[in-house]
Amino acid sequence: MQFQLPKRYKLLFDFSIWFLLFSLLLRVLFLTWQFSDVNHSFVGLLKTIFYGLFFDFGVLSFVWLISTFYMLLMPKRWIGSIVDKFFIYIFFTLTVLIFVFTFFAEITFWDEFKCRFNFVAVDYLIYTFEVVNNINESYPLVILIPSMLLITFGILFLFKKRDSFLQVFSTKIPFKTRIIPFVITLLVAGFYVTLIKNSDAEWSENRYNNELSKAGIYSFFAELRNSKLDYETFYTTLPKEEAFAIVRAKLGNSNSNFDADSISIRRTISDSVAREQRPNIVFVLMESMSANFMREFGNEKAITPFMDKLAQESLLFSNLYATGTRTVRGMEAVTLSIPPTPGSSIVKRPDNANLFTIASVFKQKNYQCNFFYGGDGYFDNMNAFFGGNGFDIYDRGRGSILSDAIKAKRYNVTDDEVTFENAWGACDEDMYKKLIQVADKYHAEKKPFLNFVMTTSNHKPYSYPDKKVAIPSGTGRNGAVQYADFALQQLFEKSKNKPWFKNTIFVIIADHCASSAGKDEIDVANYHIPAMIYGANIKPQKVQKLSSQIDIFPTLFGLLNWNYESNFYGQDILNANFEPRTFMGTYLKLGYMKDNELIILSNQKKNNFYKWDKTNNDLNKLPMNQEFLKESISMYQTADYLFTHKKLEEK
């Protein structure tokens, strides 16, 4: 006897056809958007569509599971009743509206990140104030919201006209007939939940094909389930004794004295017998400031005139790379001097207070450490991290409070101190003014200071005070870059007249690049960031050694002739024993590069070895180098081990 799906399920069937067509349309849109970057061979496109369809069916299986469960429970005599109609109309309308909203959200997410929903989308659920305001300032909601409602009610009207609802309400089927669709759907949904990972869509060496092969909703819930990644479960490992021995050999030299504990990198750095210098430090972590925005690195648009001038007067690190693609990765790199561990940045993880950070070193030298942020530092857990690790906080508090366990002082940047503000916070100029005010205070108290400021203006919606730069506010990235450069110039101009200026070192570095998207697993060029040190007794020089964001403070400590306790992976770039290498990662991929050779560790315990062609930014696959692989594994495995086993904490 052949089983035929009863007409009671016609609405569900019609919805499925609509979803598959819309999902295909969205996939074609993204494919067209990135056509020059994708593998558009016939086989490549066919596999992309096939994988995409497979994951779309995964999304539908959960819609069917909820729907068939409802139909299973609804008594036969109530089918077509007011109660039945109420639940089906409400559920159908909300489901269509949510899916239409998701399609729109995927377009805006792709516009910014060039990928399907990932951990960033999950994070955005937490920080609704900044995200909602950013969307409101970046996109024409007055058009988008009515469009979503219009599409939703258009679909509702179309299905009603096709008699989909009529057949649902007029077909009374017995309980035993309803069991079969529910059981089949339950098995299919169970198959996807237990056996299919989102990473199974990553069949290609081309990252764009992999992203197109995914389904946005499936990706979102996969990230929601996998917000934490256990290194030993998902990545290739070595015996921990071997891994630590490799790392200690790489970090050690004649001036490093390691602790007796072999499962540790804690050591004393004794690089100098010269007199220690203790200048004030102003550390500027610049939002999304890619190296290729500067004329120094080939840009011809003249949007960073001050930074280009500063580069000629500074110690410039011209071959330095960010560890990640988000602000919290940059913060993690410079404060903890650690490679990027898989999953969320340590800045966002629980139990991240009282760690050994740069503040630990500065506190040993009797410095006052301050952190400045133009928004509410609740965002991305910044206040908890910096406040829990030795910094006082200056931010635009919007009602969030610090935990009682955090003893740091928090100061609100008041409304009368803000001349311009967008979704992400006060403009860079306003925060630099606050920084100078605090510098004046500690100079008057004869206390050296570390003022660490995180800028915000170079971020969508790219808005900033009017008539400050030639490019009008809100018109795009170039204008925001130009304003960030202008604001930095104002910081220097206003600081030069201060009595503390001549005894102050300025460190300028980006948190990450403006874009990290590319066709390869890791787009190396999109990790290249500017980094420079300017000020008291710093001789201008261009350092071309390959280096990492994690090296910036160890290098500064070397310049200051500091002997100090270290629990850092970063090293002094200027030291004769420095071995050029860099770290770069995504949420899942972990890269380690030397001599343009790159190992990428993935969360499927798969590892690839590439030669990076700098001229065209291509990765060309090579046979695996086992010794290099061991070194790469050791760096990341030990970093993860130290944090998860609480061995990054202060003594």
Side-chain angles (χ1 to χ4, degrees):
M1 179 178 175
Q2 187 177 7
F3 174 77
Q4 186 175 5
L5 192 68
K7 292 181 179 179
R8 171 74 169 161
Y9 297 88
K10 177 172 171 53
L11 180 64
L12 191 53
F13 181 79
D14 287 349
F15 169 83
S16 301
I17 297 299
W18 167 80
F19 170 73
L20 292 173
L21 287 174
F22 257 62
S23 188
L24 177 62
L25 181 64
L26 189 66
R27 195 165 280 115
V28 170
L29 172 65
F30 292 156
L31 178 65
T32 306
W33 200 334
Q34 304 298 148
F35 191 74
S36 62
D37 299 309
V38 301
N39 171 7
H40 42 69
S41 67
F42 177 75
V43 173
L45 292 178
L46 198 63
K47 289 183 75 172
T48 300
I49 298 300
F50 171 78
Y51 272 86
L53 189 63
F54 177 78
F55 280 91
D56 288 343
F57 275 113
V59 173
L60 284 175
S61 70
F62 299 107
V63 177
W64 274 72
L65 183 63
I66 296 169
S67 303
T68 55
F69 182 64
Y70 165 80
M71 292 178 180
L72 179 70
L73 295 181
M74 177 59 64
K76 182 178 177 181
R77 67 180 181 276
W78 286 11
I79 293 175
S81 67
I82 293 175
V83 173
D84 187 33
K85 288 179 179 179
F86 174 80
F87 280 115
I88 286 180
Y89 273 119
I90 291 296
F91 178 72
F92 177 81
T93 304
L94 286 178
T95 302
V96 172
L97 181 60
I98 290 169
F99 275 52
V100 169
F101 170 79
T102 302
F103 286 140
F104 274 79
E106 280 205 75
I107 293 171
T108 61
F109 197 82
W110 189 278
D111 177 41
E112 185 159 358
F113 299 103
K114 298 297 185 289
C115 65
R116 296 288 195 172
F117 290 141
N118 58 16
F119 70 100
V120 177
V122 175
D123 279 353
Y124 278 4
L125 286 180
I126 302 171
Y127 307 110
T128 52
F129 179 89
E130 287 83 0
V131 173
V132 170
N133 278 278
N134 182 43
I135 291 171
N136 185 44
E137 293 174 10
S138 302
Y139 299 100
L141 294 188
V142 69
I143 297 174
L144 292 181
I145 292 175
S147 298
M148 288 188 284
L149 293 173
L150 187 64
I151 292 172
T152 299
F153 287 108
I155 293 167
L156 192 68
F157 175 78
L158 177 64
F159 283 20
K160 193 169 180 63
K161 193 171 182 180
R162 284 175 49 85
D163 292 334
S164 300
F165 289 99
L166 178 65
Q167 295 189 41
V168 167
F169 298 137
S170 62
T171 307
K172 300 196 176 188
I173 53 177
F175 180 80
K176 63 180 181 180
T177 305
R178 288 177 261 156
I179 292 176
I180 297 174
F182 173 70
V183 170
I184 292 173
T185 303
L186 182 63
L187 291 173
V188 173
F191 165 74
Y192 276 96
V193 168
T194 57
L195 297 177
I196 304 302
K197 297 176 291 197
N198 199 44
S199 57
D200 290 333
E202 297 174 2
W203 57 271
S204 174
E205 291 186 2
N206 186 298
R207 192 188 66 84
Y208 287 114
N209 286 83
N210 293 336
E211 293 299 324
L212 291 169
S213 298
K214 297 174 183 176
I217 297 174
Y218 198 97
S219 294
F220 179 84
F221 284 100
E223 295 294 348
L224 200 61
R225 289 178 62 202
N226 299 318
S227 59
K228 294 182 180 178
L229 285 173
D230 177 67
Y231 186 92
E232 292 189 2
T233 300
F234 291 98
Y235 293 85
T236 308
T237 60
L238 297 172
K240 69 175 181 290
E241 293 79 9
E242 181 182 0
F244 273 98
I246 292 171
V247 171
R248 284 162 70 100
K250 290 295 176 182
L251 296 180
N253 57 53
S254 58
N255 297 321
S256 300
N257 301 309
F258 282 95
D259 280 6
D261 180 5
S262 63
I263 309 301
S264 165
I265 64 164
R266 197 177 292 270
R267 62 205 185 278
T268 301
I269 305 294
S270 304
D271 278 345
S272 178
V273 294
R275 181 174 174 271
E276 288 191 355
Q277 302 174 48
R278 300 206 179 167
N280 307 302
I281 306 297
V282 172
F283 183 84
V284 183
L285 191 60
M286 300 191 76
E287 171 68 46
S288 304
M289 187 58 70
S290 307
N292 63 15
F293 289 144
M294 295 177 62
R295 185 183 294 275
E296 174 69 27
F297 299 105
N299 191 300
E300 297 297 331
K301 295 177 182 177
I303 53 177
T304 60
F306 177 71
M307 290 181 67
D308 286 313
K309 177 177 178 292
L310 193 65
Q312 312 311 314
E313 302 168 357
S314 302
L315 178 58
L316 173 70
F317 301 96
S318 61
N319 199 17
L320 186 144
Y321 290 78
T323 62
T325 60
R326 295 201 66 206
T327 294
V328 285
R329 278 296 183 207
M331 290 177 167
E332 173 190 79
V334 298
T335 56
L336 291 167
S337 191
I338 192 173
T341 51
S344 298
S345 162
I346 290 173
V347 173
K348 293 178 61 64
R349 295 194 202 179
D351 302 320
N352 65 0
N354 303 312
L355 302 179
F356 188 91
T357 68
I358 55 168
S360 307
V361 178
F362 279 102
K363 294 285 187 181
Q364 291 171 15
K365 309 296 183 183
N366 197 36
Y367 275 69
Q368 169 63 35
C369 299
N370 304 304
F371 172 67
F372 299 81
Y373 178 61
D376 188 330
Y378 167 75
F379 182 75
D380 269 347
N381 205 45
M382 285 186 265
N383 280 355
F385 177 75
F386 282 94
N389 288 290
F391 288 83
D392 284 348
I393 308 295
Y394 294 81
D395 75 328
R396 287 284 283 159
R398 297 190 179 102
S400 63
I401 58 174
L402 290 175
S403 163
D404 291 339
I406 296 174
K407 304 306 179 186
K409 295 177 182 177
R410 185 185 185 190
Y411 303 91
N412 189 38
V413 179
T414 60
D415 290 345
D416 60 3
E417 294 177 299
V418 176
T419 62
F420 181 89
E421 190 168 24
N422 64 18
W424 299 106
C427 66
D428 292 354
E429 283 179 279
D430 291 338
M431 293 312 298
Y432 290 148
K433 288 176 187 175
K434 188 66 179 179
L435 181 151
I436 291 170
Q437 178 189 348
V438 174
D440 289 343
K441 173 181 181 293
Y442 286 106
H443 174 74
E445 295 176 6
K446 294 182 168 43
K447 189 171 183 68
F449 56 80
L450 164 64
N451 279 353
F452 183 129
V453 59
M454 177 69 231
T455 73
T456 60
S457 294
N458 185 20
H459 196 297
K460 214 169 215 181
Y462 311 128
S463 57
Y464 41 85
D466 289 332
K467 299 179 181 178
K468 296 286 186 175
V469 295
I471 303 174
S473 171
T475 57
R477 172 74 74 179
N478 286 342
V481 171
Q482 192 174 56
Y483 173 73
D485 180 77
F486 167 81
L488 186 66
Q489 182 179 17
Q490 295 307 299
L491 168 64
F492 276 76
E493 292 297 328
K494 289 180 169 62
S495 298
K496 280 180 179 177
N497 298 322
K498 297 295 182 178
W500 45 262
F501 179 78
K502 289 184 179 179
N503 188 40
T504 299
I505 288 178
F506 292 78
V507 183
I508 317 295
I509 192 170
D511 57 351
H512 57 82
C513 285
S515 171
S516 60
K519 66 181 185 300
D520 292 315
E521 289 186 89
I522 286 180
D523 191 277
V524 177
N526 279 332
Y527 286 77
H528 185 209
I529 57 174
M532 57 189 92
I533 300 175
Y534 171 94
N537 300 317
I538 301 297
K539 295 180 180 179
Q541 181 185 353
K542 292 184 181 180
V543 179
Q544 297 181 345
K545 295 179 188 175
L546 178 66
S547 54
S548 170
Q549 222 171 11
I550 72 173
D551 300 316
I552 195 68
F553 271 103
T555 302
L556 176 65
F557 297 154
L559 285 166
L560 300 179
N561 303 318
W562 284 7
N563 299 318
Y564 62 99
E565 183 182 2
S566 174
N567 207 14
F568 301 147
Y569 283 76
Q571 297 175 276
D572 180 357
I573 302 168
L574 303 178
N575 190 291
N577 295 312
F578 178 79
E579 184 178 0
R581 83 301 167 250
T582 198
F583 304 87
M584 53 190 75
T586 66
Y587 187 64
L588 300 173
K589 310 283 187 180
L590 306 172
Y592 184 59
M593 188 168 77
K594 287 182 175 181
D595 299 321
N596 290 345
E597 293 183 342
L598 175 68
I599 292 273
I600 298 179
L601 314 177
S602 82
N603 61 313
Q604 298 169 297
K605 297 203 173 192
K606 294 179 181 177
N607 311 301
N608 291 315
F609 184 39
Y610 300 99
K611 184 74 174 182
W612 178 48
D613 187 338
K614 192 172 184 178
T615 57
N616 56 20
N617 195 32
D618 279 345
L619 293 180
N620 301 304
K621 207 163 189 178
L622 298 173
M624 182 56 69
N625 179 325
Q626 292 299 325
E627 288 303 311
F628 192 21
L629 176 61
K630 282 187 174 184
E631 184 179 331
S632 305
I633 292 168
S634 298
M635 292 293 176
Y636 286 107
Q637 180 183 336
T638 57
D640 184 81
Y641 181 92
L642 290 176
F643 177 72
T644 56
H645 288 78
K646 299 187 181 301
K647 300 188 79 169
L648 286 183
E649 295 181 353
E650 289 187 317
K651 282 187 176 179

